[in-house]
Amino acid sequence: MAARTPLFERHTARGARMVEFGGYEMPLQYTSIRDEHLAVRTAAGLFDLSHMGEVQLSGPGAEAAVQRLIANDAGRIQPGGALYAVMCNERGGIVDDVVVYRDEDGFMVVVNASCRSKDVAWMSSHGGEAAALEDISDRCALLAVQGPRAVDLVASLTDTPVAELKPFHATFATVAGVAARVSRTGYTGEDGFELYVLDNVAAGLWDRLLEHGEPMGLLPCGLGARDTLRLEAGLRLYGQDMDEDTDPYSCGLGWTVKLEKGDFIGAAALRDLDPRNPPRRFAGLRLPGRTIARHGHPVTDGSRVVGEVTSGTFSFTLGCGIATASLDGQVDDAVPLFVDIRGSEVAAERTPLPFYRRRKGA
Amino acid sequence: MSVADLSTYRFSASHEWVKVIDGGALVGISEHAQSQLGDVIFLELPEAGATLTAGDKFGVVESVKAASDLYAPVGGTVEAVNDKLGANPELVNTDPYGEGWMIRLRDVQEGGVELMDSAAYERTTAG
């Protein structure tokens, strides 16, 4: 049976439609994906992300262990800083994409729920031996507040000047009476925070955020809106846009690979690749009108298959279908592309990612 | 929940409804079906004039979540499609038994698909 987050009763009390995701019963939507999506773009949304995994590495060997595990450079993370990174296998394929926080005595690595047990086993046997490694997921809840009103909302519930936090920085603060790691990060393309708190205080914080947020337009949001928001923002989803057979260059994550930092797992395989000509290319596609391409749909050049859709949805912000695709490496940028949607060939327009970029300061 | 009077609606196991109206029939999908699909984005519906046999696939409903085939609960000739759904497919979510109807049939032919009244249908979707 699927596990429950400490907010399970909050979700069902609001009539959320629950689905199993990453081994947890999670809310897919409360009212409608469209309303929840637009709330995040125009006001704020509140997400339960307690299914995500958190792994702590501490002790004198922690930094070397993290450096060995991730392709990005943990040496660049200041205390209180965070870093997006991929963990690769020896072939350069992606084991998971993670966010790494540097703490005083070590690091916290946030992993995808669906990868948690795999990641913990991987980390324990591929560098983590040198550090004290602890999977704290079961006592750590995660709430995200995202949207143009999110910063004001969280700032109004704490004495810590969290509005001054820079993107990808975090601090410890008391929010609505609850001790939280407040992180200026997210997965929606909007400004906002992710709040890591202990399981037993998560429901109280959820209630306070709703109570203070609802008058400013905040809605509780499910995984449905999380997916449409992240795709508009051009953010990858592990298992769909990348997997253990995808190298970071092939899914447009070459910017997270720091070969010059020294050795790490997968470095040798990645050195053998040309970052500008990787085996596959990651492309953004716009589809006409309300056409929706889906994971696995073939992408053609009009006569032959040249790739496949990794993620696709309807963009509520743009009012058209959007998708990301993994294309054969040799497909020229000028080649017109089509998506084979259940037998009908739909012309797709290649678009730089992200599909949506928030206006800064808005 | 919808408070539509469902006494004149009959339902297929594949979650379409049919309602006989003067000389023809309206076809749509149930409250349960729309709730399972989530936000409807797009509908692929037949052209007026198309002939359907009960059980035929007559279109596709595309939601944020998935694409699902639509099956004719009765046979007939498509007299009209609900053209409001082109610009407002969310009517299927907000009013599945009213404004969210999909096709209107004439020369209706029953048989081939088992139809249930609303009470029997709701028992199949309970729990």
Side-chain angles (χ1 to χ4, degrees), chain A residues 68-82:
Chain A
R68 184 161 163 66
L69 286 165
I70 66 170
N72 209 334
D73 184 2
R76 296 178 181 215
I77 319 175
Q78 302 298 315

Side-chain angles (χ1 to χ4, degrees), chain A residues 70-203:
Chain A
I70 66 170
N72 209 334
D73 184 2
R76 296 178 181 215
I77 319 175
Q78 302 298 315
L83 185 72
Y84 177 70
V86 293
M87 289 198 296
C88 288
N89 56 33
E90 285 84 354
R91 295 176 290 115
I94 299 174
V95 175
D96 199 1
D97 66 330
V98 301
V99 173
V100 183
Y101 293 89
R102 182 191 287 270
D103 294 328
E104 269 178 28
D105 53 346
F107 295 84
M108 181 173 84
V109 181
V110 181
V111 306
N112 282 297
S114 54
C115 296
R116 175 181 155 196
S117 51
K118 171 187 87 168
D119 286 357
V120 170
W122 176 264
M123 294 164 82
S124 303
S125 58
H126 289 78
E129 308 94 320
L133 184 146
E134 190 184 3
D135 178 3
I136 60 165
S137 311
D138 287 338
R139 61 172 192 267
C140 185
L142 174 55
L143 277 59
V145 189
Q146 302 275 298
R149 309 298 299 278
V151 172
D152 284 348
L153 170 60
V154 176
S156 74
L157 294 171
T158 177
D159 294 331
T160 305
V162 292
E164 291 168 18
L165 272 178
K166 294 194 181 76
F168 271 81
H169 281 75
T171 189
F172 291 92
T174 303
V175 180
V178 169
R181 179 197 297 265
V182 179
S183 171
R184 194 104 182 226
T185 48
Y187 193 53
T188 61
E190 296 299 332
D191 200 356
F193 296 110
E194 293 178 305
L195 308 172
Y196 298 85
V197 299
L198 287 175
D199 252 36
N200 57 358
V201 292

Side-chain angles (χ1 to χ4, degrees), chain B residues 40-122:
Chain B
V40 173
I41 301 300
F42 177 74
L43 288 128
E44 202 177 289
L45 295 173
E47 301 276 333
T51 326
L52 298 173
T53 304
D56 279 358
K57 176 182 158 181
F58 74 87
V60 177
V61 56
E62 185 108 46
S63 72
V64 176
K65 204 176 126 200
S68 307
D69 291 336
L70 298 162
Y71 297 97
V74 296
T77 302
V78 178
E79 188 174 45
V81 300
N82 184 353
D83 53 19
K84 280 190 189 169
L85 298 183
N88 300 297
E90 65 276 9
L91 289 171
V92 174
N93 296 117
T94 55
D95 193 8
Y97 297 124
E99 297 267 303
W101 67 273
M102 293 176 180
I103 55 174
R104 191 167 74 223
L105 299 171
R106 62 180 157 77
D107 308 327
V108 174
Q109 293 186 326
E110 291 196 22
V113 170
E114 189 195 336
L115 297 174
M116 297 167 265
D117 65 20
S118 65
Y121 171 71
E122 271 159 29

Side-chain angles (χ1 to χ4, degrees), chain A:
Chain A
M1 198 179 114
R4 294 176 172 182
T5 77
L7 299 166
F8 177 83
E9 281 80 18
R10 295 296 190 277
H11 304 320
T12 51
R14 275 194 172 247
R17 276 195 47 214
M18 305 299 286
V19 292
E20 187 175 336
F21 183 83
Y24 284 80
E25 281 188 80
M26 298 299 292
L28 177 69
Q29 61 182 74
Y30 298 84
T31 53
S32 102
I33 294 174
R34 176 195 321 260
D35 292 351
E36 293 164 24
H37 181 107
L38 295 176
V40 173
R41 289 281 179 251
T42 59
L46 177 61
F47 298 81
D48 175 16
L49 307 177
S50 303
H51 60 309
M52 300 290 284
E54 294 86 9
V55 182
Q56 274 180 341
L57 291 108
S58 50
E63 179 150 355
V66 171
Q67 286 290 44
R68 184 161 163 66
L69 286 165
I70 66 170
N72 209 334
D73 184 2
R76 296 178 181 215
I77 319 175
Q78 302 298 315
L83 185 72
Y84 177 70
V86 293
M87 289 198 296
C88 288
N89 56 33
E90 285 84 354
R91 295 176 290 115
I94 299 174
V95 175
D96 199 1
D97 66 330
V98 301
V99 173
V100 183
Y101 293 89
R102 182 191 287 270
D103 294 328
E104 269 178 28
D105 53 346
F107 295 84
M108 181 173 84
V109 181
V110 181
V111 306
N112 282 297
S114 54
C115 296
R116 175 181 155 196
S117 51
K118 171 187 87 168
D119 286 357
V120 170
W122 176 264
M123 294 164 82
S124 303
S125 58
H126 289 78
E129 308 94 320
L133 184 146
E134 190 184 3
D135 178 3
I136 60 165
S137 311
D138 287 338
R139 61 172 192 267
C140 185
L142 174 55
L143 277 59
V145 189
Q146 302 275 298
R149 309 298 299 278
V151 172
D152 284 348
L153 170 60
V154 176
S156 74
L157 294 171
T158 177
D159 294 331
T160 305
V162 292
E164 291 168 18
L165 272 178
K166 294 194 181 76
F168 271 81
H169 281 75
T171 189
F172 291 92
T174 303
V175 180
V178 169
R181 179 197 297 265
V182 179
S183 171
R184 194 104 182 226
T185 48
Y187 193 53
T188 61
E190 296 299 332
D191 200 356
F193 296 110
E194 293 178 305
L195 308 172
Y196 298 85
V197 299
L198 287 175
D199 252 36
N200 57 358
V201 292
L205 179 58
W206 175 271
D207 293 343
R208 295 291 303 280
L209 287 165
L210 273 179
E211 178 191 324
H212 288 263
E214 279 181 306
M216 50 174 87
L218 172 129
L219 287 183
C221 299
L223 295 182
R226 181 165 158 88
D227 191 56
T228 55
L229 289 159
R230 70 93 195 165
L231 187 50
E232 282 186 353
L235 300 167
R236 314 292 187 276
L237 174 60
Y238 191 81
Q240 225 168 270
D241 300 321
M242 56 191 159
D243 56 27
E244 293 185 11
D245 296 318
T246 313
D247 68 83
Y249 301 121
S250 288
C251 61
L253 294 179
W255 61 274
T256 70
V257 178
K258 302 290 170 6
L259 290 173
E260 68 282 3
K261 78 168 184 173
D263 195 32
F264 60 90
I265 301 165
L270 294 177
R271 270 195 194 95
D272 285 343
L273 298 175
D274 177 352
R276 283 162 302 177
N277 290 296
R280 303 192 67 77
R281 302 218 171 188
F282 200 72
L285 303 177
R286 270 178 90 131
L287 293 124
R290 292 174 167 263
T291 318
I292 301 185
R294 305 217 185 250
H295 179 76
H297 282 170
V299 177
T300 75
D301 63 2
S303 55
R304 64 192 185 93
V305 174
V306 297
E308 66 173 31
V309 171
T310 59
S311 288
T313 193
F314 178 73
S315 165
F316 292 111
T317 308
L318 303 174
C320 67
I322 55 172
T324 51
S326 174
L327 306 175
D328 296 347
Q330 66 276 17
V331 176
D332 192 85
D333 284 350
V335 171
L337 296 176
F338 303 85
V339 182
D340 179 345
I341 299 178
R342 295 183 304 278
S344 56
E345 203 157 71
V346 178
E349 181 197 338
R350 227 189 264 205
T351 313
L353 296 174
F355 299 102
Y356 165 85
R357 199 187 294 273
R358 79 185 158 93
R359 283 176 300 150
K360 292 286 157 69

